[in-house]
């Protein structure tokens, strides 16, 4: 059966590390005195090492050998500061000839193997044409091409350029946002592909990848039934290919061939997550010279009957230097740009203090020649405002934004800088919303969104839409706010590829669902927000998610403080988190693999991929049921049963939900969530006596204070015609600050019952 080969090969082209070093040399010399002073080194090598260590989270005392700047992050910073000309660096990739590796891949394609490459250059295609008398390979670049390959089952003998092609700038993904937006048109909203098909396929892609839907689905499809060879690809991405490659559901066998002596953590995870996986790498820096990747390529070529010798050719230094100089000249660098680029790198990592220092120095430099640096000066001040806000210097941040706005308006340059002007207005509106300046905030927000529509800037419009949703949330217009957040969340995935916007929108949507009393949807949104916050590593976001979790608990479980004079705190616990932590303690080598598969599958519930999760639950239950001592894994079994019951609840399988919850309650005898859910399931089956019994039990376990249970028990009493008892539950629900949506539902039912009784 054909294999899948994922490549990021050593080429005849300059290495990424070489390009990065040359780039750093240029930006370092632009602002050498200031950079050296901030990073406390008077030599370029020392500054480069300090910067590399900071950005890769490496301590000074760690022994790691050579360390390079992160490639995508560096080019993202350059792009942010210098704009589109940065993308022209791909012209480096147009030189040189195909080498041994490219020939091997060409033969692999001819043999019917599927090849997925992260490279943009044309060397594989050139090698194929040369080796096979002018014949051209089947290449996938655009989303539409990937979708066609999926629909027609065209995977064998296909070259999939997952990050695009250098002849099509719109398809390239050389920067952080480029990787997440490498699709030419989103399948979810695009015109070329049926949107209903897109929505269906969205449910099947791995939740942690930011690849476009057809690219992700294509990769998953070929992984499911093929063995895999990964050659020369770093595997260091966290939201691109590796989330799919390391997922346990793709149990393909394979080998990873690495040209360095150190394996990334993601690669170690890939090797660990399935049997029959191996890696080949040098054991030392000396063995790096043996060039293992070339030996592997030669092995395959010999097996496929290619006898032509080949080496990994290099571009002549003179040609490389000329290309680099031409590219640098197009960037039109000026004093201050070096400081601004380094500031952006620190900003990406959330190192606000260091970013602030670099931005302030860049502003000073730009100010020295404001006539030629006006745009850069304004953008850098805008970035400084963002950093100050993240450092909790709110007043100072607002002051800087007001300075940017006043300068643009005074100089009458709103039409010259529409994007920056709109962003600045939105930032100011954000500070004024729900304050004495709320009306002004509404005015400038509408003004900013009108500009965004005129210039067709989806990013700004999206931010404005989220801000409008924040305003509606504060005014308790929850349905309207929720519509805004969900729209922004969809856009954040489809257009922006922005995990920060996705995180903030998920938190806003979670709050709306909480206020509307929709527990499961609120829980799903909180899980999304938590994943995005953890991915970003932003402590402020993580704390905010924790704060919303407490609101969730207070709303659906009970107040954070009991009703007594001393206000003794109740145990704070996320939904099911306490039970889950106990279950993890029971995991041993006998069930570790199956439990880790189950852990991964839990994330699929949010995407309604219930069957895949149920398969993992069945697999783990089968394993633990073989154990003679049932108590060894009782907590694990309880978690599995509760998650299964949750899936049955979501899919309306009430009788099965009840049976599973009964099994759960035999293990966990006083679990309020289970008792409440049993009450809900019996109520929907019109078994009111059993529903009442379980709602009362849930309230008893919570010391008489369970807001949602009070609401649901009150609604149950109205169904049973017990008006006075329904009123009592309403009073208790109001006192415990139950969510508005179920409270209003209970009030309406009580009023309706009153009218019915009067007529009688």
């Amino acid at each position: 059966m054909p294999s899948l080969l994922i490549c990021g090969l050593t080429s005849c082209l300059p290495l990424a590390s070489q390009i990065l070093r040359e780039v750093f040399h240029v930006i370092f010399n632009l602002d050498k005195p200031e950079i050296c002073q901030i990073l406390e080194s008077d030599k370029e090598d020392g500054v480069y090492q300090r910067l590399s260590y900071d950005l890769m989270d490496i301590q000074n005392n760690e022994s790691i050998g050579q360390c390079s700047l992160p490639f995508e992050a560096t080019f993202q910073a350059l792009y942010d500061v210098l704009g589109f000309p940065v993308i022209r660096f791909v012209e480096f990739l147009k030189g040189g000839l195909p080498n041994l590796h490219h020939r091997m891949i060409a033969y692999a394609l001819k043999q019917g193997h599927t090849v997925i490459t992260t490279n943009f250059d044309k060397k594989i295609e050139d090698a194929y044409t040369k080796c096979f008398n002018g014949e051209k390979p089947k290449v996938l670049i655009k989303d539409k091409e990937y979708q066609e390959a999926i629909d027609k089952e065209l995977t064998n003998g296909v070259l999939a350029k997952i990050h695009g092609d250098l002849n099509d700038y719109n398809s390239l993904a050389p920067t952080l946002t480029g990787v997440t937006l490498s699709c030419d048109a989103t399948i979810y909203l695009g015109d070329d592909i049926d949107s209903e098909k897109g929505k269906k396929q969205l449910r099947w892609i791995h939740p942690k990848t930011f690849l476009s839907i057809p690219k992700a689905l294509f990769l998953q499809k070929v992984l499911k039934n093929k063995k895999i060879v990964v050659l020369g690809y770093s595997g260091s991405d966290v939201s691109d290919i590796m989330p799919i490659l390391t997922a346990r559901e793709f149990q393909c066998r394979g080998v990873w061939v690495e040209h360095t002596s150190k394996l990334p953590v993601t690669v170690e995870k890939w090797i660990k997550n399935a049997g029959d996986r191996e890696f080949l790498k040098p054991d030392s820096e000396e063995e790096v010279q043996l060039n293992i990747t070339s030996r592997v390529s030669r092995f395959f070529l010999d097996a496929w009957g290619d006898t032509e010798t080949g080496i990994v050719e290099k571009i002549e230094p003179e040609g490389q230097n000329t290309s680099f100089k031409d590219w640098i000249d197009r960037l039109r660098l000026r004093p201050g740009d070096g400081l601004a680029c380094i500031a952006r790198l620190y900003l990406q990592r959330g190192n606000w203090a260091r970013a602030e220092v670099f931005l302030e120095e860049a502003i000073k430099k730009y100010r020295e020649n404001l006539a030629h640096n006006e745009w850069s000066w304004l953008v850098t001040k805008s970035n400084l405002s963002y950093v100050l806000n993240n450092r909790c210097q709110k007043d100072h941040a607002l002051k800087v934004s007001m300075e940017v706005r006043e300068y643009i308006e005074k100089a009458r340059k709103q039409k010259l800088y529409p994007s920056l002007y709109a962003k600045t207005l939105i930032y100011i509106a954000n500070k004024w919303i729900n304050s004495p300046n709320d009306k002004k905030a509404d005015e400038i927000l509408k003004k900013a969104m009108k500009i965004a529509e005129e210039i067709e800037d989806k990013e700004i419009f999206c931010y404005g839409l989220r801000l409008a949703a924040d305003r509606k949330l504060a005014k308790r217009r929850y349905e309207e706010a929720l519509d805004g957040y969900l729209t922004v969340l969809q856009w954040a995935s489809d257009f922006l590829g922005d995990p920060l916007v996705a995180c903030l929108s998920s938190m806003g949507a979670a709050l709306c669902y909480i206020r509307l009393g929709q527990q499961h949807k609120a829980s799903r949104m909180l899980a999304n927000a938590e994943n995005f916050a953890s991915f970003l590593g932003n402590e402020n976001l993580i704390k905010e998610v924790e704060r919303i979790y407490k609101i969730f608990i207070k709303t659906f479980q009970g107040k954070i403080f009991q009703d007594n004079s001393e206000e003794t705190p109740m145990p704070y616990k996320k939904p099911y988190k306490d039970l889950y932590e106990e279950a993890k303690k029971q995991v041993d080598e006998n069930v570790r693999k199956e439990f880790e598969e189950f852990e991964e599958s839990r994330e699929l519930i949010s995407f309604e991929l219930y069957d895949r999760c149920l398969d993992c639950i069945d697999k783990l239950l089968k394993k633990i049921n073989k154990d003679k001592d049932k108590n060894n894994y009782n907590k694990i079994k309880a978690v599995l049963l509760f998650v299964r019951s949750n899936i049955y609840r979501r899919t309306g399988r009430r009788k099965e939900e009840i049976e599973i919850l009964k099994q759960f309650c035999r293990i966990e005898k006083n679990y309020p969530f289970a008792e409440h859910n049993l009450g809900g399931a019996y109520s929907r089956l019109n078994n009111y006596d059993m529903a009442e019994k379980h709602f009362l039990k849930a309230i008893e376990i919570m010391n008489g204070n369970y807001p949602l249970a009070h609401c649901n028990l009150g609604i149950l009493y109205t169904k049973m015609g017990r008006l006075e008892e329904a009123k009592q539950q309403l009073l208790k629900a109001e006192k415990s600050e139950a969510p508005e949506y179920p409270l209003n539902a209970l009030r309406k039912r009580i009023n309706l019952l009153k009218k019915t009784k009067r007529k009688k």
Side-chain angles (χ1 to χ4, degrees):
M1 182 179 289
S3 302
L4 173 74
L5 180 67
I6 297 183
C7 314
L9 295 176
T10 304
S11 181
C12 52
L13 306 169
L15 297 175
S17 57
Q18 294 172 338
I19 297 174
L20 288 171
R21 201 62 199 247
E22 292 291 338
V23 168
F24 179 78
H25 175 74
V26 172
I27 66 173
F28 172 78
N29 283 291
L30 284 170
D31 306 301
K32 181 176 178 180
E34 293 83 1
I35 294 173
C36 287
Q37 182 179 356
I38 297 170
L39 294 180
E40 299 176 347
S41 177
D42 58 354
K43 295 182 179 178
E44 182 175 334
D45 285 346
V47 169
Y48 187 82
Q49 185 182 48
R50 177 67 270 152
L51 184 59
S52 301
Y53 276 31
D54 284 350
L55 299 176
M56 302 297 284
D57 291 328
I58 297 169
Q59 301 300 317
N60 276 325
N61 56 358
E62 289 187 47
S63 177
I64 60 156
Q66 292 182 339
C67 182
S68 177
L69 294 174
F71 184 78
E72 290 88 353
T74 302
F75 272 86
Q76 177 66 58
L78 288 169
Y79 183 84
D80 290 341
V81 174
L82 304 170
F84 184 78
V86 170
I87 304 299
R88 300 294 292 270
F89 92 95
V90 296
E91 293 186 5
F92 278 129
L93 309 181
K94 292 183 178 179
L97 298 170
N99 62 30
L100 181 75
H101 303 311
H102 301 118
R103 238 180 31 256
M104 182 272 291
I105 295 172
Y107 270 86
L109 286 167
K110 192 67 174 177
Q111 294 286 324
H113 297 261
T114 308
V115 175
I116 295 181
T117 180
T118 56
N119 287 358
F120 329 119
D121 62 67
K122 309 285 287 186
K123 299 300 177 293
I124 297 173
E125 297 97 306
D126 292 345
Y128 193 97
T129 302
K130 182 179 179 182
C131 291
F132 304 111
N133 300 319
E135 185 180 341
K136 293 183 179 180
K138 172 64 177 175
V139 183
L140 306 180
I141 298 172
K142 298 181 179 181
D143 276 359
K144 190 174 181 180
E145 295 165 347
Y146 281 90
Q147 187 61 47
E148 182 181 340
I150 293 167
D151 294 340
K152 295 182 178 181
E153 300 285 336
L154 300 175
T155 56
N156 294 344
V158 169
L159 172 63
K161 303 185 82 168
I162 210 87
H163 284 175
D165 185 276
L166 63 81
N167 284 354
D168 181 0
Y169 281 173
N170 290 327
S171 72
L172 290 177
T175 62
L176 289 178
T177 50
V179 167
T180 65
L181 294 176
S182 56
C183 50
D184 54 292
T186 170
I187 184 173
Y188 201 83
L189 297 174
D191 296 328
D192 293 336
I193 304 168
D194 180 72
S195 61
E196 289 304 312
K197 178 186 288 187
K199 290 176 183 178
K200 183 178 179 181
Q201 291 182 163
L202 178 65
R203 299 173 56 190
W204 288 98
I205 68 169
H206 194 281
K208 289 189 176 180
T209 182
F210 276 149
L211 283 174
S212 65
I213 294 171
K215 288 179 180 176
L217 203 60
F218 179 85
L219 176 56
Q220 290 176 190
K221 189 177 183 66
V222 292
L223 278 176
K224 280 188 175 179
N225 53 16
K226 300 191 176 189
K227 55 186 178 179
I228 176 172
V229 176
V230 183
L231 186 65
Y233 166 53
S234 71
S236 59
D237 66 84
V238 293
S239 59
D240 190 19
I241 292 175
M242 289 309 289
I244 297 174
L245 214 57
T246 55
R248 287 184 175 276
E249 63 183 290
F250 306 118
Q251 296 286 316
C252 53
R253 58 199 180 104
V255 59
W256 192 289
V257 186
E258 182 61 53
H259 56 77
T260 67
S261 59
K262 187 175 180 180
L263 283 178
V265 174
T266 46
V267 177
E268 292 177 352
K269 181 180 179 182
W270 175 81
I271 295 167
K272 177 184 173 184
N273 278 2
D276 201 14
R277 285 181 178 175
E278 300 291 341
F279 66 91
L280 297 174
K281 72 176 185 66
D283 291 329
S284 65
E285 291 299 321
E286 289 75 20
E287 287 191 13
V288 171
Q289 307 304 319
L290 296 176
N291 202 339
I292 290 179
T293 53
S294 292
R295 290 169 179 251
V296 171
S297 291
R298 185 70 266 167
F299 170 84
F300 282 116
L301 283 170
D302 289 343
W304 290 326
D306 176 72
T307 57
E308 183 180 341
T309 59
I311 59 173
V312 178
E313 302 167 11
K314 301 289 182 184
I315 295 177
E316 291 299 321
E318 294 79 9
Q320 181 178 331
N321 290 338
T322 300
S323 298
F324 183 81
K325 186 177 182 302
D326 290 343
W327 175 60
I328 290 295
D329 287 343
R330 289 175 183 170
L331 298 182
R332 299 181 180 179
L333 296 166
R334 62 199 71 190
D337 287 345
L339 290 160
C341 287
I342 295 176
R344 291 295 301 182
L345 285 168
Y346 279 112
L347 193 148
Q348 290 171 4
R349 298 296 299 170
N351 190 333
W352 312 115
R354 192 59 69 93
E356 180 185 352
V357 175
F358 276 99
L359 287 170
E360 286 178 339
E361 290 298 322
I363 289 169
K364 290 177 186 177
K365 278 234 171 172
Y366 289 141
R367 184 76 192 186
E368 291 172 3
N369 189 3
L370 191 57
H372 292 90
N373 296 327
E374 184 179 71
W375 167 251
S376 298
W377 178 73
L378 287 168
V379 169
T380 308
K381 282 182 73 70
S382 180
N383 289 334
L384 177 61
S385 177
Y386 174 76
V387 169
L388 291 169
N389 186 62
N390 279 282
R391 296 201 71 196
C392 298
Q393 298 179 31
K394 311 292 185 183
D395 292 340
H396 190 185
L398 179 58
K399 179 184 175 184
V400 173
S401 290
M402 290 296 291
E403 289 172 356
V404 173
R405 176 192 178 184
E406 289 167 5
Y407 182 92
I408 294 174
E409 290 178 347
K410 188 176 180 180
R412 297 183 179 180
K413 294 189 176 180
Q414 294 95 322
K415 291 187 177 180
L416 183 60
Y417 307 133
S419 177
L420 177 61
Y421 182 57
K423 283 182 179 178
T424 305
L425 292 178
I426 285 177
Y427 183 83
I428 295 169
N430 186 32
K431 298 301 175 187
W432 283 352
I433 278 179
N434 305 317
S435 75
N437 290 320
D438 187 65
K439 286 188 178 180
K440 290 183 180 179
D442 188 41
E443 290 173 6
I444 64 173
L445 179 59
K446 289 177 180 176
K447 186 176 182 180
M449 293 184 73
K450 183 179 179 181
I451 295 171
E453 282 189 278
E454 289 173 353
I455 62 176
E456 297 183 350
D457 192 316
K458 293 184 176 70
E459 181 181 1
I460 296 175
F461 191 82
C462 190
Y463 292 158
L465 197 59
R466 182 176 62 79
L467 198 54
D470 289 342
R471 191 165 180 268
K472 290 169 184 173
L473 175 62
K475 296 183 182 300
R476 300 188 177 185
R477 292 154 59 184
Y478 301 126
E479 286 90 350
E480 294 176 50
L482 181 61
D483 286 343
Y485 287 128
L486 293 180
T487 300
V488 173
L489 183 58
Q490 181 175 303
W491 283 26
S493 301
D494 295 336
F495 290 119
L496 306 180
D498 190 333
L500 175 59
V501 174
C503 182
L504 294 171
S505 302
S506 297
M507 287 192 285
L511 279 169
C512 291
Y513 281 131
I514 290 170
R515 300 308 183 197
L516 293 170
Q518 300 183 39
Q519 181 176 358
H520 293 298
K521 290 182 178 180
S523 178
R524 184 185 70 184
M525 280 298 163
L526 276 172
N528 285 347
E530 189 171 35
N531 286 336
F532 283 122
S534 299
F535 167 69
L536 291 164
N538 187 315
E539 289 299 323
N540 291 331
L541 290 177
I542 292 170
K543 288 178 181 177
E544 181 62 14
V545 173
E546 289 289 330
R547 185 187 73 81
I548 299 173
Y549 260 122
K550 291 181 180 180
I551 296 172
F552 181 95
I553 297 299
K554 177 180 176 181
T555 300
F556 296 111
Q557 177 178 325
K559 287 187 176 180
I560 300 300
F561 295 101
Q562 295 179 4
D563 292 327
N564 58 41
S565 57
E566 296 180 357
E567 290 196 325
T568 306
M570 292 178 65
Y572 166 61
K573 45 188 178 181
K574 294 180 184 178
Y576 332 130
K577 179 84 181 243
D578 52 342
L579 182 62
Y580 178 67
E581 290 301 322
E582 291 177 19
K584 285 172 68 176
K585 294 175 184 177
Q586 293 185 338
V587 175
D588 57 23
E589 291 306 315
N590 183 40
V591 298
R592 188 175 307 282
K593 178 182 176 182
E594 289 80 5
F595 188 83
E596 288 176 353
E597 289 177 7
F598 163 69
E599 282 186 303
E600 285 189 4
S601 75
R602 287 195 313 153
E603 297 177 3
L604 303 176
I605 294 176
S606 297
F607 297 86
E608 300 181 7
L609 304 178
Y610 302 129
D611 291 341
R612 290 157 74 179
C613 187
L614 288 171
D615 287 343
C616 290
I617 291 173
D618 289 338
K619 188 176 179 181
L620 182 50
L621 277 173
K622 185 177 179 181
K623 190 75 175 280
I624 64 179
N625 284 335
K626 290 181 180 179
D627 192 79
K628 294 179 181 179
D629 187 351
K630 302 301 180 184
N631 290 325
N632 285 345
Y633 303 118
N634 62 334
K635 299 296 183 182
I636 296 176
K637 186 173 182 178
V639 166
L640 297 176
L641 291 172
F642 201 80
V643 173
R644 183 190 285 274
S645 74
N646 216 337
I647 292 174
Y648 288 160
R649 168 179 278 262
R650 289 164 179 256
T651 52
R653 296 158 69 176
R654 304 299 174 195
K655 291 182 179 180
E656 292 164 288
E657 179 191 0
I658 288 170
E659 289 305 312
I660 294 298
L661 284 171
K662 284 180 178 178
Q663 293 180 43
F664 173 87
C665 289
R666 286 196 282 270
I667 301 172
E668 296 291 323
K669 299 187 184 303
N670 290 299
Y671 207 71
F673 306 123
E675 296 293 343
H676 176 270
N677 290 353
L678 273 168
Y682 276 118
S683 178
R684 286 177 175 83
L685 292 175
N686 298 323
N687 189 338
Y688 296 150
D689 291 338
M690 289 299 293
E692 179 185 14
K693 174 185 173 182
H694 287 288
F695 281 139
L696 287 171
K697 181 73 179 291
I699 292 169
E700 180 187 347
I701 296 169
M702 295 299 295
N703 299 322
N705 184 21
Y706 194 158
L708 193 59
H710 288 307
C711 288
N712 287 329
L713 180 57
I715 290 171
L716 178 69
Y717 284 146
T718 63
K719 292 179 181 179
M720 299 169 75
R722 294 157 63 175
L723 179 59
E724 292 306 317
E725 288 164 292
K727 288 180 179 179
Q728 290 175 13
Q729 292 303 318
L730 174 60
L731 290 173
K732 291 178 180 179
E734 289 173 336
K735 186 178 179 182
S736 61
E737 299 179 19
E740 292 184 27
Y741 185 82
L743 263 180
N744 289 333
L746 176 54
R747 290 181 184 122
K748 288 178 182 178
R749 283 184 170 272
I750 288 173
N751 290 332
L752 183 62
L753 184 57
K754 284 179 181 178
K755 291 178 182 178
T756 304
K757 286 186 176 290
R758 286 195 200 106
K759 289 179 181 179
K760 290 181 180 179

